[in-house]
Amino acid sequence: MKNFTVYLVILVFLFVSKVLGQETFESRAKQIADKIEKITKEEKAALKEEVEAVNVQLSEGKITQEQADKRKKELAEARAVIIEEKVTLAQNELNDLVQQKVDGKIQEQDSTKKHMLVIHWNDRNWEERKKVKDSIHGEKRTTSQFVFAMGLNNMMVDGKLQDSNYSFIGSHFYEWGFTYNSRLLKNDNLLHAKYGLSLMYNNIRPTDNRSFVVNQDQTNLEVNATNLNESRFRNVYLVLPVHLEFDFTKPTVSNGKAYFKTHKSFRFGIGGYAGINVKSKQILKFEEEDLKYKTTIKGDYNVNNFIYGLSSYIGYKSLSLYAKYDLNPLFQDNLVDEKNISLGLRFDLN
């Protein structure tokens, strides 16, 4: 675990700039964020015009105050539904974009260029949209979030990090999914149950020109006869994460009533996950006679069909440091039990 502390600095300053700071990903994500902002502004403007028209009818005596209030509520409900539908479409675009990034379909910009990620999540518009819904339906104790996590990956054997067998900087993990966050106490915001469904992508890159070779019930690292440019082993899991979350967001009071928000202050969660392996594959890249080759070999590789482990996160608002550790070994019957361990960043977006 000593190396994990050392690599934490590398994670924050190197990995984020390398993985997140990509021009294509940044520009497309910003377009989606701008689209969400535009949707909110347009619908609010339309609602304002409709409410003004109702006020004119009221001032002219064509409708009563009761009729005017009823009409305004109907208009607000209709616009809230329209905003929800349009923003959901934009969120789906973001989900597709993240999936493309995870699958490596988004081209990276030249690594020699300096870049800075600037994605504007307009919290005010999200809050205003939520206020419209809350005023109509009342406060909800359960909210939902889109979760995206990424970071560095490696293997542990008897409490020791296997960074000599696997490239620490080159081995990454990704996770994306949806969670529900339920406040456990009616009049206290501290304790929350957080649960959902996620896809986990665990990648490890063997060192010293090695790749995995299956020999009956054993899966071993062996030196490849070909000079490899890249050797990568990926496992994909469908998991159910469950956490007890401590949220230190203070309640806001309006008209004598306390409203409990989430993800507005410091948070930390402890829990775990369990799931199934849905895919294992090995990716090998090499060159021969000035020709580049990429070989993808799919199989079970004696990988455990199930996965379960412990996870925890601590952070501020939507961003957290995230760690997870598998309690069962990667391979079923290997003589040496190697267990996956990950450390990275986690985004919980309301």
Side-chain angles (χ1 to χ4, degrees), residues 86-115:
K86 290 184 177 181
V87 171
T88 297
L89 293 176
Q91 286 177 315
N92 291 337
E93 291 183 35
L94 178 61
N95 296 346
D96 292 339
L97 176 64
V98 171
Q99 183 60 48
Q100 292 178 41
K101 172 68 183 71
V102 170
D103 293 339
K105 296 180 180 180
I106 299 179
Q107 184 177 0
E108 295 187 8
Q109 72 177 42
D110 188 348
S111 60
T112 61
K113 296 180 180 178
K114 293 183 178 180
H115 37 245

Side-chain angles (χ1 to χ4, degrees), residues 31-130:
Q31 289 174 2
I32 296 173
D34 290 341
K35 181 186 294 186
I36 293 174
E37 182 177 2
K38 183 180 179 182
I39 290 170
T40 308
K41 287 182 177 179
E42 289 179 348
E43 294 303 324
K44 283 177 58 182
L47 177 60
K48 183 179 179 180
E49 291 181 0
E50 292 171 339
V51 170
E52 288 177 352
V54 173
N55 289 334
V56 170
Q57 290 181 315
L58 178 62
S59 63
E60 294 177 349
K62 296 180 179 179
I63 57 176
T64 64
Q65 182 66 54
E66 182 180 355
Q67 291 173 324
D69 293 340
K70 181 180 178 181
R71 180 57 180 159
K72 289 177 183 179
K73 182 179 179 181
E74 291 173 349
L75 292 172
E77 289 177 343
R79 289 296 170 184
V81 171
I82 293 173
I83 291 174
E84 188 71 28
E85 291 176 348
K86 290 184 177 181
V87 171
T88 297
L89 293 176
Q91 286 177 315
N92 291 337
E93 291 183 35
L94 178 61
N95 296 346
D96 292 339
L97 176 64
V98 171
Q99 183 60 48
Q100 292 178 41
K101 172 68 183 71
V102 170
D103 293 339
K105 296 180 180 180
I106 299 179
Q107 184 177 0
E108 295 187 8
Q109 72 177 42
D110 188 348
S111 60
T112 61
K113 296 180 180 178
K114 293 183 178 180
H115 37 245
M116 178 175 64
L117 176 67
V118 183
I119 301 177
H120 298 286
W121 297 98
N122 195 321
D123 291 336
R124 289 185 303 173
N125 288 336
W126 286 95
E127 282 299 315
E128 289 168 357
R129 194 161 60 87
K130 189 174 186 304

Side-chain angles (χ1 to χ4, degrees), residues 209-255:
N209 202 59
R210 291 177 294 175
S211 57
F212 283 105
V213 176
V214 177
N215 183 9
Q216 296 183 355
D217 64 344
Q218 298 293 299
T219 304
N220 303 316
L221 274 180
E222 296 184 7
V223 176
N224 200 288
T226 304
N227 187 23
L228 300 173
N229 294 333
E230 179 181 342
S231 174
R232 176 160 42 109
F233 188 54
R234 170 182 289 178
N235 287 281
V236 183
Y237 301 93
L238 182 65
V239 300
L240 297 171
V242 178
H243 293 91
L244 177 64
E245 182 173 284
F246 297 81
D247 193 325
F248 294 91
T249 303
K250 295 182 179 180
T252 58
V253 179
S254 178
N255 296 325

